[in-house]
Amino acid sequence: QVQLVESGGGLVQAGGSLRLSCAASGRTFGNYAMGWFRRAPGKERKFVASLSNSGGTTNYADSVKGRFTISRDNAKNTVYLQMNRLKPEDTAVYYCAARRTAYIAYEYWGQGTQVTVSS
């Protein structure tokens, strides 16, 4: 069982930056592949970025490539999402998720953190 708690959301002006954190419980954090998703108002939840267990493989949605960076610190049981050059369309609730392997659906989800980008 893994529990995930996101933090770092807030209100920022367009062009600004935020760093989201997702703290995971348990001593096997390094065994899990991690991902970030977001749900904009009135829309479905969408993939943002993912990171392999080792941190060696990353994937990004086209809409955030070159602006967002996912990373992890296994010693701190934490995954991060650095968001730069934010746009109003990045406004959403951001969720982190964990899974034991990239070949299955995400098994664990956090409660989400709100990011609002003003124009």
Side-chain angles (χ1 to χ4, degrees), residues 40-111:
K43 297 186 178 181
E44 294 184 350
R45 186 170 61 195
K46 291 187 177 181
F47 168 78
V48 175
S50 65
L51 183 63
S52 62
N53 311 47
S54 66
T57 301
T58 58
N59 286 291
Y60 296 93
D62 287 344
S63 59
V64 306
K65 279 181 181 176
R67 299 189 299 123
F68 290 11
T69 303
I70 187 171
S71 62
R72 67 191 299 159
D73 185 338
N74 286 345
K76 295 183 178 179
N77 280 16
T78 301
V79 63
Y80 304 99
L81 186 67
Q82 177 67 45
M83 305 186 295
N84 299 327
R85 304 200 310 275
L86 283 161
K87 305 175 182 180
E89 51 263 44
D90 294 318
T91 294
V93 178
Y94 283 72
Y95 301 88
C96 71
R99 57 184 177 181
R100 286 166 288 168
T101 163
Y103 301 102
I104 62 175
Y106 283 92
E107 301 169 271
Y108 305 102
W109 294 84
Q111 82 291 346

